[in-house]
Amino acid sequence: MPTTARPTFTRAALTGLIAVVVALGVGHLVSGLLLLPSSSPFLAVGNAFIDRTPAPVKDFAIRTFGTNDKLALLVGMTVALILIGVVIGLLARRSVIPGLIAVAALGIVGILAVREQSSGALGLLSPVAALVAGVGVFWVLHRLARPRSDAGDDVDGGGVGRRGFVVGALAASVGAAAAGAGGLVLTRRIDVTASRRAVGELVPETPAPPIPAGAAFPESGTPPFLTPIADFYRIDVNLAVPQLRAEDATLRITGLVNEPLELTFDDIRSMPLVEKTITMTCVSNEVGGPYVSTTNFIGVPLLALLERAGIADGAQQLVGHSVDGFTIGTPLDMLRAAGDEAMLAIGMDRRALPPEHGFPMRTVVPGLYGYVSATKWLTELELATYDVIPYWVERGWDGQPPGVVPIKISSRIDAPKSFQQVPGGDVTIAGTAWAQGRGISRVEVRIDKGDWQPAELATEVNPFTWRMFRLTTSLPSGQHTVACRAVDGSGVMQVEERLRLINPGPVPDGSTGWHSIVFTVE
């Protein structure tokens, strides 16, 4: 009668690893078949992790990895799952039971994560299929991994036993790769590229005024006034960009309204379109940081759209609902203060919105940070009281005045760069300032703790956009420190004290402080 022995360390580790990989591949395949990318267990667990990450940790990730923070998370998750798979396999060397329990536990975590992502009952098929596949492959490979002392196999795992495990492991690995690739291909059946192309050029009935030639100083080192779409900053909580076609998109206006409305994308596309030049800033932007960009948004005035439904008494905030279940609440008083500048946007730079910036439609409320104003991949606008808890408020942030503050006065030095060596002679210090809604009236520059000097300002486009500045001066050779500060259109000076992005308490109100750099004149 044959006797069994423990699998080798290598076979045990591979058994656990391959079982986990197969589970993820099958889950991704089924999510592609269902056209529900958010039901992929791998992405759902990642999104659940993001949801539970404390704000200071998120800020650290943004500071450290920038817009690659999601890629860093995906890489970290992949490494963690590889290690978990190896550990599961090693725990099951003596008996298959602990391994089966551990793989099943991972599957249950996936089910719970998908359930949170608003994929519906149908979406649960993906993590359930992943669980079944993972458990099944682990059981089969564990049996093949055990050497047997009978006439057909060598006790040390050679001969037929080794060949059987290798064949099984290779078959499972190829199947996992094929399933994962199949999931990616199937997901691309949602042809967002073709949908954007079909929208065509967006020609506003009310175009934005032309950008004057003196609105920026790119020759001195500032960015161009209008940010190229490829360079426009992106900050959101999605591991994968939601895929929604314009022809499938509808916008519902619900809640405290006199008459709920439902509009298709074509309904909105056929309305008189307006174009607004707007600078957007993220609340996570550090002093001197890059998360500020400007473009021409095209869409329809947001308040006019809400008034078609009739804003009922008692409404306190506008809650935007994204296709992925994400929500953002905008205080209604602050929305009204923005007036016709607040938009339901369907385009940037006279083209349909890029997918990563909210295609087919999004909200834009200039003068407010994005966490209370910018709902991408929009499907519903709900007029509500503050009893409705949006995403960030649910996580401890303040979504009501006076906790919600306008974008703070900020300025940064774009040229020279920190620690740059510049030729001797005249040196031009150039940068960017913004205080959306109030505009910039003055920028001052200080060199080596000397007197503050007024900088030359670029032509103002409108109070909701950034404004460039520059100062040319002669400096001696050696190291120099330069700082800048701005004054808004109402005469308020930029705050000197540096504060964290998220101050003690529940109020996320952006960073403060004067930006300074050190550079060397040759």
Side-chain angles (χ1 to χ4, degrees):
M1 182 176 181
T3 61
T4 61
R6 298 182 189 180
T8 64
F9 276 95
T10 300
R11 291 189 187 184
L14 287 174
T15 295
L17 173 59
I18 293 172
V20 170
V21 171
V22 167
L24 295 174
V26 169
H28 205 62
L29 174 63
V30 176
S31 72
L33 289 168
L34 299 174
L35 288 180
L36 291 172
S38 61
S39 71
S40 168
F42 183 68
L43 296 179
V45 170
N47 285 326
F49 178 84
I50 291 174
D51 288 348
R52 289 165 173 77
T53 301
V57 177
K58 289 182 181 179
D59 291 333
F60 170 78
I62 292 173
R63 288 195 304 270
T64 305
F65 301 107
T67 53
N68 293 316
D69 57 337
K70 298 172 185 63
L71 176 61
L73 175 59
L74 289 173
V75 171
M77 286 177 55
T78 300
V79 173
L81 286 169
I82 289 173
L83 295 175
I84 289 172
V86 169
V87 170
I88 288 174
L90 295 177
L91 288 176
R93 287 190 71 216
R94 187 182 297 272
S95 169
V96 71
I97 300 301
L100 295 176
I101 293 173
V103 173
L106 278 181
I108 292 171
V109 170
I111 291 172
L112 294 175
V114 170
R115 187 179 178 184
E116 280 189 355
Q117 302 304 311
S118 302
S119 299
L122 187 63
L124 292 176
L125 290 176
S126 301
V128 169
L131 186 155
V132 172
V135 168
V137 167
F138 187 87
W139 184 78
V140 171
L141 288 182
H142 191 275
R143 287 180 60 85
L144 292 173
R146 294 180 302 179
R148 296 175 179 273
S149 57
D150 56 17
D153 282 325
D154 296 328
V155 176
D156 65 359
V160 176
R162 180 167 57 196
R163 285 197 301 271
F165 176 77
V166 169
V167 169
L170 284 175
S173 300
V174 170
L184 290 174
V185 171
L186 290 168
T187 299
R188 290 173 183 166
R189 287 183 295 162
I190 308 173
D191 195 346
V192 174
T193 301
S195 182
R196 289 186 67 236
R197 190 183 306 118
V199 171
E201 184 181 6
L202 297 170
V203 181
E205 183 173 296
T206 307
I211 305 300
F217 303 130
E219 70 280 6
S220 298
T222 72
F225 188 83
L226 294 177
T227 307
I229 300 300
D231 297 335
F232 204 99
Y233 79 89
R234 174 200 166 196
I235 298 290
D236 54 56
V237 299
N238 298 87
L239 281 177
V241 175
Q243 303 294 297
L244 182 62
R245 302 188 307 168
E247 51 267 42
D248 300 327
T250 58
L251 174 66
R252 296 184 300 124
I253 302 178
T254 65
L256 297 175
V257 295
N258 298 331
E259 183 180 350
L261 291 179
E262 184 168 312
L263 303 167
T264 66
F265 179 86
D266 286 340
D267 291 334
I268 297 166
R269 173 76 169 81
S270 63
M271 294 178 183
L273 299 178
V274 298
E275 184 179 45
K276 302 285 185 180
T277 308
I278 295 171
T279 295
M280 296 188 67
T281 310
C282 181
V283 73
S284 297
N285 199 38
E286 293 276 7
V287 173
Y291 303 132
V292 54
S293 302
T294 301
T295 194
N296 285 327
F297 283 103
I298 291 183
V300 296
L302 188 53
L303 278 172
L305 200 61
L306 298 177
E307 286 166 359
R308 291 182 58 176
I311 302 173
D313 293 340
Q316 296 173 305
Q317 65 172 333
L318 176 66
V319 180
H321 294 257
S322 175
V323 69
D324 58 359
F326 182 80
T327 54
I328 280 180
T330 306
L332 194 54
D333 288 346
M334 302 185 87
L335 177 61
R336 285 175 168 142
D340 290 342
E341 302 299 322
M343 301 179 69
L344 172 72
I346 62 172
M348 300 168 68
D349 194 24
R350 301 202 174 184
R351 292 171 289 174
L353 293 168
E356 61 270 22
H357 292 294
F359 181 76
M361 53 186 125
R362 62 169 297 167
T363 56
V364 177
V365 184
L368 295 178
Y369 291 114
Y371 85 97
V372 286
S373 68
T375 309
K376 301 177 186 178
W377 312 290
L378 186 69
T379 60
E380 180 183 354
L381 291 170
E382 177 188 6
L383 273 300
T385 67
Y386 287 125
D387 291 334
V388 175
I389 310 298
Y391 179 93
W392 287 117
V393 178
E394 189 176 18
R395 284 150 183 82
W397 291 20
D398 197 338
Q400 305 176 24
V404 176
V405 298
I407 295 174
K408 293 182 175 180
I409 312 166
S410 297
S411 60
R412 74 178 185 210
I413 298 166
D414 296 313
K417 301 296 184 184
S418 292
F419 306 111
Q420 181 180 351
Q421 289 189 337
V422 300
D426 287 346
V427 175
T428 297
I429 298 158
T432 310
W434 58 92
Q436 291 92 313
R438 291 100 68 206
I440 296 294
S441 63
R442 188 169 81 252
V443 175
E444 297 175 336
V445 174
R446 182 174 65 186
I447 301 171
D448 297 330
K449 296 187 178 181
D451 294 334
W452 288 98
Q453 305 176 56
E456 175 192 356
L457 289 179
T459 304
E460 182 179 57
V461 174
N462 68 60
F464 290 96
T465 62
W466 55 16
R467 199 169 184 185
M468 313 309 187
F469 64 89
R470 66 183 174 187
L471 173 71
T472 300
T473 185
S474 179
L475 294 175
S477 299
Q479 190 177 85
H480 298 278
T481 300
V482 61
C484 63
R485 66 184 185 184
V487 177
D488 72 11
S490 61
V492 177
M493 173 71 71
Q494 179 180 348
V495 174
E496 177 182 7
E497 182 184 5
R498 288 214 177 202
L499 295 178
R500 294 180 301 162
L501 294 175
I502 306 299
N503 298 321
V507 185
D509 55 2
S511 60
T512 64
W514 297 343
H515 186 220
S516 64
I517 65 162
V518 175
F519 66 98
T520 301
V521 175
E522 296 175 345

